[in-house]
Amino acid sequence: AMLIKVKTPDMPLHLAGDPANPAYQWQMSFSATGLVAKGYDERGVFRAFVVSEDHMKMAFSLLKDIKLADAA
């Protein structure tokens, strides 16, 4: 998976995996400091994420988790 960075003044984002896959089930949390959304396939394997604002510092550790899921 490759990390994609969207740099906008109002809401910067980092995302990876296939966040547009309609088959994924999403776990999302929203707060004043940003968004964390994690997408899981039908077997519960972590396949995609989107993080914004203050949560973007989590992107590299989440990216490593996606790679491990793909290797399994």
Side-chain angles (χ1 to χ4, degrees):
M2 242 168 77
L3 182 63
I4 298 169
K5 299 177 182 182
V6 180
K7 297 180 180 182
T8 64
D10 291 333
M11 182 175 270
L13 299 170
H14 287 179
L15 53 114
D18 183 9
N21 189 323
Y24 291 168
Q25 297 295 314
W26 288 88
Q27 293 180 349
M28 295 185 246
S29 63
F30 302 90
S31 70
T33 59
L35 154 79
V36 176
K38 298 177 183 178
Y40 296 87
D41 68 12
E42 66 280 352
R43 295 175 313 212
V45 177
F46 179 50
R47 296 292 183 185
F49 71 86
V50 178
V51 291
S52 73
E53 302 170 271
D54 290 349
H55 300 291
M56 291 191 311
K57 60 186 171 263
M58 299 171 55
F60 289 108
S61 64
L62 291 171
L63 185 62
K64 287 178 14 179
D65 289 345
I66 286 177
K67 286 185 176 183
L68 291 175
D70 286 342

